[in-house]
Amino acid sequence: HRDLKSQEWYPILEKVGLAITRPNAKVSAAEESAFSNWTDTFWDYYAGKDMKDTNPFKAFERSATVFLDSMRIEMFLDGMQELEKQGYNPKDNEKEYKDLAKYINTFTGRGSLIKAAENPEMIKGLSNVFFSPRQRTKKIQMLNPVYYKNLSKPVRKMALKDLGRSFSLATAMTLLIAAYLNSDDDPETS
């Protein structure tokens, strides 16, 4: 994390609100993990006191957090480069860069919740009931045309291109699975 802060682009990232998990950000890390508090409870109960410090779920959670942060940063830097090619700079075009961070946060499961749910205690409560409430919000926002309408034009194009890729991949995988499940390997019925 120290090396991250020394990068020339880090202040831009921070200013526009790209979601980067800070060390010891317990709610954020638990939210990003595919697991919730039940994994810790499970491990503590079944592993016993001697194994409590070797919880593999915590190691997975840390590695998933690093991966997601790296992915967000990479997407932001790519988007920043694209905006700069189109003549947008962070100093004069703050809205475009904030929209870029908003779209990346949303598409990587760190989108905004409604104001009432932004309270850390509320997020923790929602995380105990649902796996990653922000991830659920992402799915709703991805299909909401108003979400795209509110993004600046260059960022809207990037977001819709990513959405198209996601749907294309999902459709291709669904068709491949359907073809596999419907294939008849019995030569006597051919």
Side-chain angles (χ1 to χ4, degrees):
H1 201 269
R2 287 187 304 266
D3 292 341
L4 181 64
K5 286 185 175 183
S6 67
Q7 301 298 320
E8 64 186 44
W9 38 259
Y10 185 78
I12 298 167
L13 239 135
E14 201 165 42
K15 183 178 181 182
V16 298
L18 187 70
I20 303 294
T21 305
R22 309 288 184 254
N24 301 323
K26 293 179 183 172
V27 172
S28 299
E31 224 182 318
E32 286 183 349
S33 175
F35 302 105
S36 191
N37 292 339
W38 67 269
T39 57
D40 293 335
T41 304
F42 170 84
W43 184 260
D44 292 347
Y45 182 79
Y46 288 105
K49 291 179 182 176
D50 296 340
M51 300 293 289
K52 193 173 184 176
D53 292 335
T54 60
N55 186 338
F57 300 112
K58 289 212 182 279
F60 176 78
E61 185 177 317
R62 286 189 302 273
S63 63
T65 299
V66 168
F67 170 74
L68 289 169
D69 282 347
S70 299
M71 184 174 66
R72 281 187 203 102
I73 291 167
E74 192 69 34
M75 285 177 72
F76 186 83
L77 293 176
D78 288 347
M80 191 168 135
Q81 193 173 39
E82 185 66 33
L83 286 173
E84 287 171 349
K85 278 184 201 173
Q86 296 177 35
Y88 297 95
N89 66 61
K91 186 178 180 185
D92 298 329
N93 306 99
E94 193 172 321
K95 179 181 175 14
E96 283 74 12
Y97 285 81
K98 282 187 175 192
D99 282 354
L100 177 62
K102 177 182 173 183
Y103 132 69
I104 292 169
N105 291 342
T106 299
F107 272 52
T108 59
R110 292 297 304 227
S112 298
L113 296 169
I114 59 171
K115 292 284 184 216
E118 287 291 342
N119 175 318
E121 287 302 313
M122 178 71 81
I123 292 173
K124 188 174 182 180
L126 288 170
S127 292
N128 287 334
V129 176
F130 303 108
F131 287 133
S132 187
R134 289 183 196 272
Q135 184 71 10
R136 304 230 184 239
T137 302
K138 162 203 164 176
K139 291 175 181 171
I140 294 166
Q141 287 177 332
M142 281 180 72
L143 299 174
N144 181 1
V146 176
Y147 172 77
Y148 296 99
K149 182 182 177 291
N150 292 331
L151 293 175
S152 59
K153 188 176 180 178
V155 176
R156 184 181 320 128
K157 284 182 180 180
M158 287 183 229
L160 288 171
K161 192 164 76 173
D162 272 358
L163 180 67
R165 274 188 250 168
S166 297
F167 278 129
S168 296
L169 178 63
T171 301
M173 292 303 294
T174 302
L175 291 173
L176 285 171
I177 291 168
Y180 174 77
L181 293 175
N182 289 328
S183 67
D184 194 2
D185 293 336
D186 187 3
E188 291 183 20
T189 61
S190 298

